[in-house]
Amino acid sequence: MRISPLCASLFTALLLPLSPLAKAQTWTFVHDENFPPFAQFENGKSSGMAIDILNEALQRTDTEAEFVAVPFPQIQPSLESGKADAIFPLAINAERQKTLDFSQPLLMTGGALFVRAPEATPADLAALAGKVIVTPKTGPLAGYIAKNAPEANLVVTADYDESLEKLMNGSADAAALNFQVGTILAN
């Protein structure tokens, strides 16, 4: 199944390891501790839109979830070490598909181009030819931009915060981010 990062399934899916979990009563899900509005850890509790969606889906199967919030770099190692049964939410990208299995998407979002005010948002990637676009390596947009806007100067950053910092300090002309996350962090 091909997924177009800017079209629909940018930020998707319940990620399950290869071992079957059908026998388990409670699944342990690891998530990014600071990824609003989808998942965050506040006041000793995991919350967010993705957490709510997953809880609702699991209620229909009489399965319970335990959520473990960690910094983003610890997400995949938590799954690999057995500390978690699954990752949610996590964007599908070509690199992750080499080592992880993804379910059908439970959550679909979209990407957006962010620019400094009062600049006008570019109509498309072609409008950014010769300009610097930043995007975090943690998302699925880098591959899409490299393929579809080769004349843009793509800079892959460590995370959303670094992308926004480069945009705000003028070292980037645009930031390609998940729409919901970018909107919350930019405000």
Side-chain angles (χ1 to χ4, degrees):
M1 176 168 111
R2 281 245 184 257
I3 297 175
S4 174
L6 282 179
C7 290
S9 296
L10 279 183
F11 182 81
T12 61
L14 166 66
L15 173 68
L16 297 175
L18 292 174
S19 62
L21 295 175
K23 298 175 188 171
Q25 293 290 321
T26 301
W27 294 3
T28 302
F29 293 89
V30 64
H31 68 84
D32 189 339
E33 65 188 359
N34 186 28
F35 199 53
F38 301 109
Q40 60 265 352
F41 190 74
E42 295 178 315
N43 302 319
K45 183 179 175 193
S46 293
S47 62
M49 184 179 1
I51 304 296
D52 294 343
I53 290 169
L54 186 55
N55 274 325
E56 180 63 29
L58 291 175
Q59 280 182 355
R60 297 173 187 207
T61 65
D62 293 325
T63 303
E64 294 186 16
E66 174 187 354
F67 294 100
V68 178
V70 298
F72 188 83
Q74 293 177 17
I75 288 178
Q76 193 165 338
S78 295
L79 181 68
E80 292 166 351
S81 71
K83 292 179 182 174
D85 299 312
I87 301 169
F88 186 78
L90 188 68
I92 297 172
N93 65 30
E95 182 179 331
R96 291 179 184 143
Q97 286 182 312
K98 292 175 187 175
T99 59
L100 302 170
D101 288 338
F102 289 85
S103 73
Q104 292 297 315
L106 294 180
L107 174 65
M108 292 195 204
T109 68
L113 294 170
F114 291 79
V115 296
R116 287 180 305 281
E119 299 292 323
T121 303
D124 55 29
L125 289 172
L128 293 168
K131 297 189 177 186
V132 175
I133 303 173
V134 293
T135 193
K137 69 179 179 183
T138 56
L141 295 174
Y144 182 86
I145 294 167
K147 179 181 176 183
N148 294 287
E151 56 286 333
N153 298 315
L154 177 62
V155 175
V156 178
T157 62
D159 53 30
Y160 279 81
D161 291 331
E162 184 182 356
S163 291
L164 285 171
E165 181 181 320
K166 287 186 176 296
L167 178 63
M168 296 311 297
N169 72 21
S171 61
D173 299 293
L177 307 171
N178 171 277
F179 174 74
Q180 288 88 352
V181 176
T183 300
I184 285 177
L185 294 177
N187 288 325

